[in-house]
């Protein structure tokens, strides 16, 4: 740790607060969404703006401090907090500006999707964002960004127009299709490896404000039938329709097999599009209908509260074969915790028509992106709940061909090669150019080795 005078000098360089372990707000400030991580940073710099970020990067580099970067704090592996070291906490940076004429929005990295959607939906606009409203735009955007608008408008990164970045050497640059193009390529799927993004500029689209959304739930005994239907239905779906299959427990209830939908086209056409779903078997719950887009964006909020313990496994499947469906049926029925869930997300439509090397996100040809989310309430139950997710994944692994970097709890070197796929070497070369000392390493890490 640097001496007191050096820390004091850093503190006075900030417009935001510098929180230390003796501070009353310390315990609250070091908390992240995943309750598994109870880490104690030496310092937390709550940045008020880009100048604070530059100052924090320079201070930690000059004093050889480990750095964690925090946007929305939802990293499954708890990357946004560290033991010792400095947390560059961007959560106070909440600015959002919508440009109605250009149909774009600029947002700072402390913004969460609920805040972003609130500002853009006021004008009937949106971009692809996460399906839990409390997640940060920053981490989600940098990993790829799957959401209810993916099939129609692509991943979040496909809607990123530019980003302002503070690099490891403290330089401030803009990356876009015309400036620092190599960095712009890497930011779109390469996670937080290349610097701290202080502003995101997104393309917006006319969405809602009312869409056709919600879910249908079926008894768990019908899992195989539901997944087979889901497979065929997703293949035939128009771009306006994004569908996820899930195994979740309604509050206090038994596990159900559910199909969650969002149709973002004209409502009268939507009913026709989802009619096969209406006529497929009898659901135990039908909650499909017109609803505000912002409500659809909160649809998973209740199921994933902050503070629980979480462990995930995830992958990308080229198809939902009958053999893979057998695995889902077996493990969905043996969850040790009713809080755990499985979500089969999709990379279809517009998201799938982007070339795998056009951005750093390589899994464009894998329509199914399942994430197994183990959730429980305390350390005593960790072993069995982690084991369930691991065994589930092991059984599914032979059907998978990749992994979405934002959905992984385990981020060892081998897994990173799978997650970045054929883009890994190009990313490693970029890492060497922009962060040769691996200063930004608490992330799904790319080694600067190329
Ligand atoms: C409940 C829940 C629901 C989710 N739903 C979806 C979903 O629908 N679609 C989807 O694609 N993903 C989803 N995810 C995964 C999500 O994309 C990742 O957890 C993401 O990392 C969250 O971003 P954050 O800013 O909240 O996280 P943080 O923990 O703050 O950051 C995550 C990572 O990004 C880095 N980072 C954060 N901000 C910056 C920045 N400004 N510059 C550089 N690096 C930065 C951090 O260092 C860290 O490595 C979900 C996760 C959760 C927990």
């Amino acid at each position: 740790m640097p001496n007191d005078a050096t820390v004091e000098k850093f503190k006075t360089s900030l417009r935001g607060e510098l929180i230390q372990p003796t501070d009353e707000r310390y315990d609250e400030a070091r908390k992240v969404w995943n309750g598994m991580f109870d880490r104690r940073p030496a310092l937390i710099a709550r940045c008020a703006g880009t100048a604070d970020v530059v100052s924090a990067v320079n201070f930690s580099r000059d004093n050889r401090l480990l750095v964690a970067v925090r946007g929305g704090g939802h990293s499954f592996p708890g990357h946004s907090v560290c033991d010792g070291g400095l947390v560059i906490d961007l959560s106070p940076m909440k600015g959002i500006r919508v440009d109605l004429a250009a149909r774009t929005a600029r947002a700072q990295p402390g913004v969460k999707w609920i805040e972003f959607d609130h500002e853009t939906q006021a004008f009937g606009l949106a971009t692809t964002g996460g399906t839990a409203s409390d997640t940060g735009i920053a981490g989600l955007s940098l990993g790829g960004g799957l959401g209810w608008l993916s099939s129609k408008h692509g991943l979040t990164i496909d809607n990123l127009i530019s980003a302002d970045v503070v690099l490891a050497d403290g330089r401030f640059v803009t990356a876009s299709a015309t400036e620092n193009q190599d960095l712009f390529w890497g930011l779109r799927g390469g996670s937080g490896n290349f610097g701290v993004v202080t502003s995101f500029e997104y393309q917006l689209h006319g969405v809602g404000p009312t869409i056709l959304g919600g879910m249908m739930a079926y008894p768990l005994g019908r899992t195989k039938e539901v997944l087979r239907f889901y497979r065929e239905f997703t293949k035939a779906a128009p771009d306006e329709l994004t569908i996820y299959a899930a195994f979740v427990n309604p509050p206090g209830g038994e596990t159900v097999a559910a199909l969650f939908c969002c149709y973002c086209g004209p409502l009268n056409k939507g009913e026709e599009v989802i009619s096969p779903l209406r006529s497929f078997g009898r659901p135990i719950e039908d909650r499909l209908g017109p609803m505000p887009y912002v409500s659809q964006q909160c649809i998973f909020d209740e199921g994933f509260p902050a503070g629980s313990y979480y462990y995930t496994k995830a992958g990308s499947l080229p198809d939902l074969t009958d053999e893979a469906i057998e695995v889902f049926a077996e493990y969905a029925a043996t969850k040790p915790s009713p809080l755990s869930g499985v979500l089969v997300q999709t990379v279809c439509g517009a998201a799938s028509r982007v070339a795998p090397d056009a951005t750093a996100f390589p899994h464009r040809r894998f329509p199914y992106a399942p994430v197994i989310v183990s959730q429980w309430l305390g350390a005593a139950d960790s072993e069995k709940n982690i084991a369930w997710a691991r065994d589930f994944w092991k059984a599914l692994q032979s059907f998978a061909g990749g992994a979405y970097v934002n959905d992984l709890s385990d981020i060892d070197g081998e897994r990173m090669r799978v997650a970045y796929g054929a883009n890994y070497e190009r990313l490693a070369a970029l890492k060497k150019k922009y962060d040769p000392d691996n200063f930004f390493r608490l992330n799904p890490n790319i080694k600067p080795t190329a």
Side-chain angles (χ1 to χ4, degrees):
M1 263 299 284
N3 62 34
D4 288 356
T6 310
V7 172
E8 195 52 35
K9 194 169 162 210
F10 172 48
K11 188 175 178 177
T12 55
S13 79
L14 300 174
R15 185 158 62 94
E17 298 169 291
L18 185 69
I19 298 179
Q20 305 184 47
T22 47
D23 211 304
E24 234 175 49
R25 294 151 304 167
Y26 177 73
D27 282 332
E28 198 49 42
R30 70 188 177 87
K31 246 187 222 162
V32 288
W33 171 82
N34 189 345
M36 276 238 274
F37 300 102
D38 180 25
R39 294 184 179 143
R40 305 186 67 82
L43 299 167
I44 302 170
R46 305 201 73 223
C47 298
T50 300
D52 285 357
V53 176
V54 173
S55 193
V57 165
N58 288 337
F59 170 78
S60 6
R61 191 195 55 248
D62 293 348
N63 291 285
R64 297 176 169 275
L65 288 177
L66 178 66
V67 154
V69 180
R70 178 184 182 131
H74 273 60
S75 153
F76 285 116
H79 278 142
S80 31
V81 67
C82 49
D83 276 324
L86 172 79
V87 175
I88 299 180
D89 182 355
L90 307 163
S91 61
M93 294 173 66
K94 294 280 191 192
I96 306 170
R97 181 177 189 276
V98 176
D99 181 333
L100 283 182
R103 288 195 149 199
T104 59
R106 275 186 189 277
Q108 289 186 308
V111 169
K112 298 194 168 190
W113 284 108
I114 193 169
E115 296 155 347
F116 186 89
D117 290 337
H118 181 78
E119 293 298 325
T120 56
Q121 276 288 276
F123 307 105
L125 299 170
T127 201
T128 307
T131 52
S133 69
D134 198 37
T135 38
I137 62 162
L140 187 138
S141 297
L142 293 169
L146 314 178
W148 293 124
L149 304 179
S150 296
S151 297
K152 177 67 179 168
H153 298 298
L155 303 182
T156 309
I157 51 171
D158 301 330
N159 293 286
L160 189 64
I161 299 170
S162 73
D164 291 343
V165 191
V166 177
L167 301 173
D169 59 11
R171 274 185 303 140
F172 175 75
V173 298
T174 296
S176 69
T178 53
E179 278 179 274
N180 299 299
Q181 292 98 328
D182 58 350
L183 179 60
F184 188 51
W185 177 84
L187 289 175
R188 289 173 294 159
S191 311
N193 272 283
F194 303 106
V196 183
V197 175
T198 56
S199 174
F200 295 87
E201 184 188 7
Y202 299 101
Q203 187 64 58
L204 302 176
H205 311 273
V207 173
T210 303
I211 52 85
L212 186 57
M215 69 105 167
M216 296 280 215
Y218 305 89
L220 194 63
R222 291 180 61 198
T223 290
K224 293 181 201 171
E225 199 190 329
V226 170
L227 284 184
R228 282 196 292 267
F229 169 80
Y230 172 65
R231 175 179 65 201
E232 302 313 317
F233 195 42
T234 48
K235 280 179 187 162
D239 288 358
E240 286 77 11
L241 181 63
T242 295
I243 323 152
Y244 293 171
F247 301 95
V248 285
N249 289 47
E254 298 288 308
T255 310
V256 295
L259 296 176
F260 288 81
C261 297
C262 177
Y263 179 84
C264 63
L267 290 181
N268 52 355
K269 178 96 174 103
E271 268 304 332
E272 188 188 314
V273 168
I274 62 154
S275 62
L277 185 55
R278 293 247 188 252
S279 52
F280 162 70
R282 187 155 14 131
I284 45 178
E285 207 176 336
D286 175 349
R287 281 204 268 145
L288 206 55
M291 63 160 76
Y293 172 71
V294 288
S295 302
Q296 177 78 13
Q297 284 290 86
C298 299
I299 209 161
F300 293 122
D301 285 7
E302 226 177 281
F304 303 103
S308 288
Y309 282 43
Y310 292 93
Y311 176 83
T312 58
K313 282 286 189 188
S316 303
L317 306 184
D319 201 357
L320 263 183
T321 61
D322 286 346
E323 293 79 7
I325 287 175
E326 293 286 339
V327 175
F328 280 104
E330 180 187 342
Y331 283 90
T334 55
K335 295 190 289 149
S337 164
L339 303 174
S340 297
V342 182
L343 195 61
V344 184
Q345 308 162 110
T346 54
V347 178
C348 291
S352 68
R353 291 192 290 269
V354 176
D357 62 355
T359 66
F361 178 94
H363 311 299
R364 305 287 184 166
R365 304 292 179 260
F366 294 87
Y368 304 101
V371 53
I372 302 159
V373 185
S374 231
Q375 181 188 170
W376 65 103
L377 296 177
D381 292 326
S382 293
E383 200 178 321
K384 67 178 178 200
N385 284 289
I386 290 174
W388 171 75
R390 285 192 171 148
D391 292 347
F392 190 161
W393 179 243
K394 211 165 150 194
L396 209 52
Q397 202 166 7
S398 59
F399 307 105
Y404 174 35
V405 78
N406 271 357
D407 283 345
L408 297 172
S409 276
D410 293 326
I411 41 119
D412 58 81
E414 236 359 87
R415 202 74 192 122
M416 286 306 91
R417 283 193 173 265
V418 172
Y420 295 115
N423 290 334
Y424 189 88
E425 297 306 328
R426 187 170 164 191
L427 282 165
L430 208 57
K431 180 78 172 171
K432 194 168 181 186
K433 176 176 172 186
Y434 285 101
D435 183 16
D437 298 325
N438 205 4
F439 175 72
F440 297 110
R441 60 180 176 277
L442 278 182
N443 46 44
N445 198 230
I446 299 157
K447 301 278 181 285
T449 48

